[in-house]
Amino acid sequence: MRNGRPLISEDLFNLKAVNDPQISPDGSKIAYVETIMDRNTNEYKSRIWVVTTSGQDEPRPLTSGTALDFAPRWSPDGTLISFISTRSGSRQLWIMPATGGEPQLLSRIRNVAGSPVWSPDGRTIACIIRLSAEDKEGDGEPEQSPRERFSKDVLVIDQLRYKLDSVGFLVNKNWHLFTVQVMGPEKGAFQQLTFGNYNFSSPAWSPDGRFIAVAGNRISERTELELVNDIWVVPSGGGTPRQLTRSTGPANDPSWSPDGRLIAYTGHDRRSGYYTNRGIWLVPFEGGEPRELTAGFRFPVGDYAIKDVLGVAQPGVTPRWSTNGKSIYMNVSAYGAVHLWQFSVPDGGAVQLTYGALVIYNLHFSSGACRVAMAVTTPTLPNDIWVGEITGETVRERRLTNVNSDWLDQVALARPTRFAFRSAGGPQGEGWILHPPRFFGRSISGSSYPPNSWRAYRHVWLRVFLRVSIARN
């Protein structure tokens, strides 16, 4: 609103954040997470909402309450939605009908991390569980000696990387792969598939359901900095994990080709150290040398826009294969925006599919990869759910939600102006000039970074900066 009031710090409590859009298998609905900040409890609260891709119906809440509900995932037939919730006191896996109803606790196992992933036949869910010495199934506490009770809150830190936001202390904790039965007499039964003092993440089922690909680091001395990660495959019924990549750099977010012969993942080989651009890589399931699909591509894949107002448990983006296996879809950070691109598997050719001052920070495709759900932010429209119709090398996108409309109608926001420059002997850089509303001859300029910078203050950051600048005027 051009003539609205200036922003104040309390407006942060009015901001609603949406993330993790998950489109139903038939492409007709999108489940997503909406998060608010509760000023009374000083905590986040999140619920799962559903909106139709036609845009003809208002979004409706699927879950309710004061807990954190997040990571919604559709069953392959679209009849059920699994999600993670803290309503029982810890992060556990719940399940409910996609049409609504009372959620049911699927398994008593606690501390579910990442996002649950359904098996192709819809009978099993793979998930990552954070394990520590005291994590056991059941309600009862193990018998402790007086010395153990006295010292149970004493934490000895002997590792460099010991704490994470929203996770807490990492000491004596590991992340392992589990499967949970959804159907039949064994419903709720779980099986641990990885073991040891290692960490795994991002499970992905093979098309035939016989294997699960994960990203993981099984070399304990490298766990501290996570400069090296590998792609592994684990038999879904249990067995020895098999390493596919060569421990040359980070490797994450595995995604199987439709025929199960290749696994795409994101990462790099540390050619320029940790600041090497992240790209898309391909590795054969049967073994072989990984190939960088995006070799020579100028920009990093994924969302590298700095932001901290997107709610809880923001997932990463996984490369998505086309149904014929000839191309891969992925978001790319370039020139202050994050857009959807298409990469040719045979030759690595890249085609940009969306345009404008958008940051597509998360996305998910329907079964036929002809429709995509996107979480999008712009300098003046923070955090909304969009849908895109994919036809060849074009995407026709539409905004489906307007979650911050009441708040945005009251405040004045400015649109940043981009400019480019070239340093002596260096690449072209970018900057933004941001004039607050009711500007009287003063200017505020944003920081500048080259387009292949590993992090960038982009359109999202400018909105945060705008809040501060207006509050001081």
Side-chain angles (χ1 to χ4, degrees):
M1 182 178 180
R2 183 178 297 275
N3 297 318
R5 63 170 175 80
L7 287 168
I8 56 177
S9 58
E10 284 76 10
D11 281 321
L12 283 173
F13 293 108
N14 298 321
L15 180 66
K16 298 176 182 178
V18 296
N19 64 19
D20 200 7
Q22 296 292 309
I23 196 166
S24 60
D26 64 1
S28 64
K29 299 180 181 67
I30 298 173
Y32 62 95
V33 180
E34 180 179 295
T35 304
I36 62 171
M37 291 169 275
D38 190 323
R39 70 173 70 211
N40 297 319
T41 62
N42 195 32
E43 294 179 344
Y44 286 108
K45 296 178 180 178
S46 63
R47 294 188 294 174
I48 296 171
W49 289 65
V50 173
V51 63
T52 60
T53 55
S54 66
Q56 297 178 354
D57 302 300
E58 289 294 318
R60 61 179 178 87
L62 190 67
T63 64
S64 60
T66 60
L68 294 176
D69 296 338
F70 59 98
R73 294 298 183 269
W74 297 84
S75 62
D77 62 4
T79 62
L80 298 172
I81 290 180
S82 65
F83 63 98
I84 301 173
S85 178
T86 62
R87 61 184 62 200
S88 61
S90 64
R91 299 189 177 200
Q92 292 184 290
L93 191 58
W94 294 70
I95 196 168
M96 67 182 301
T99 54
E102 190 65 25
Q104 295 181 348
L105 181 62
L106 181 59
S107 177
R108 299 178 66 85
I109 194 167
R110 301 175 297 174
N111 298 325
V112 181
S115 301
V117 184
W118 288 78
S119 62
D121 62 7
R123 301 184 64 84
T124 311
I125 290 177
C127 57
I128 300 297
I129 305 296
R130 189 195 70 197
L131 295 180
S132 57
E134 67 273 13
D135 286 331
K136 298 179 183 292
E137 185 185 19
D139 297 325
E141 291 290 334
E143 188 67 26
Q144 293 180 324
S145 68
R147 180 181 179 86
E148 288 173 329
R149 289 195 298 270
F150 177 77
S151 60
K152 66 181 299 184
D153 59 347
V154 176
L155 183 65
V156 178
I157 297 174
D158 59 359
Q159 59 190 60
L160 179 63
R161 191 170 181 265
Y162 69 93
K163 192 176 183 181
L164 279 179
D165 289 346
S166 79
V167 175
F169 288 103
L170 306 179
V171 180
N172 299 323
K173 296 175 182 177
N174 293 104
W175 282 256
H176 281 291
L177 175 65
F178 282 69
T179 56
V180 182
Q181 297 300 312
V182 181
M183 305 292 182
E186 297 296 317
K187 180 179 179 180
F190 58 87
Q191 179 182 8
Q192 184 174 349
L193 299 182
T194 60
F195 303 87
N197 187 25
Y198 313 120
N199 295 319
F200 294 90
S201 64
S202 308
W205 290 85
S206 63
D208 60 9
R210 296 174 54 210
F211 296 91
I212 301 174
V214 288
N217 188 329
R218 295 190 66 196
I219 306 175
S220 58
E221 61 267 23
R222 288 175 174 165
T223 304
E224 300 250 342
L225 297 178
E226 290 187 340
L227 295 179
V228 173
N229 224 30
D230 282 297
I231 301 300
W232 302 74
V233 289
V234 185
S236 58
T240 303
R242 180 166 58 91
Q243 182 178 342
L244 295 184
T245 52
R246 302 290 190 256
S247 301
T248 58
N252 298 289
D253 308 311
S255 174
W256 295 79
S257 63
D259 60 10
R261 298 174 58 188
L262 294 172
I263 295 177
Y265 63 94
T266 62
H268 61 73
D269 58 4
R270 296 188 297 174
R271 287 191 306 271
S272 301
Y274 187 70
Y275 301 96
T276 306
N277 276 349
R278 184 171 60 162
I280 300 174
W281 292 69
L282 304 175
V283 63
F285 165 65
E286 296 294 342
E289 193 67 26
R291 172 172 71 95
E292 186 179 6
L293 180 65
T294 52
F297 187 61
R298 185 181 179 190
F299 307 107
V301 302
D303 172 18
Y304 277 69
I306 291 180
K307 54 197 173 298
D308 58 2
V309 291
L310 298 181
V312 297
Q314 174 66 22
V317 175
T318 299
R320 172 58 195 253
W321 292 79
S322 62
T323 53
N324 61 12
K326 294 183 179 180
S327 59
I328 291 177
Y329 299 99
M330 188 68 189
N331 59 345
V332 171
S333 298
Y335 299 118
V338 181
H339 282 290
L340 178 62
W341 287 64
Q342 182 182 41
F343 296 90
S344 169
V345 172
D347 58 17
V351 177
Q352 185 174 345
L353 301 180
T354 60
Y355 297 87
L358 306 178
V359 169
I360 303 175
Y361 55 91
N362 208 267
L363 49 88
H364 181 252
F365 292 83
S366 61
S367 296
C370 59
R371 185 171 290 169
V372 57
M374 301 179 289
V376 179
T377 184
T378 76
T380 56
L381 288 174
N383 303 320
D384 271 308
I385 301 299
W386 295 45
V387 65
E389 309 290 341
I390 302 176
T391 305
E393 296 181 352
T394 61
V395 174
R396 181 170 54 89
E397 66 264 17
R398 292 179 289 113
R399 184 159 57 100
L400 297 177
T401 65
N402 200 355
V403 297
N404 289 293
S405 58
D406 293 341
W407 170 67
L408 291 174
D409 287 343
Q410 303 173 21
V411 298
L413 298 179
R415 185 178 297 275
T417 301
R418 176 185 175 272
F419 64 94
F421 56 91
R422 188 175 298 278
S423 59
Q428 178 175 289
E430 295 171 275
W432 286 266
I433 298 177
L434 184 64
H435 298 283
R438 304 170 187 172
F439 173 68
F440 296 104
R442 289 170 292 173
S443 65
I444 299 176
S445 60
S447 299
S448 60
Y449 286 80
N452 63 342
S453 172
W454 80 287
R455 276 289 189 265
Y457 291 110
R458 300 170 188 267
H459 294 295
V460 182
W461 173 82
L462 291 171
R463 189 178 70 250
V464 179
F465 190 54
L466 178 63
R467 296 193 190 107
V468 178
S469 63
I470 294 178
R472 293 177 178 174
N473 278 271

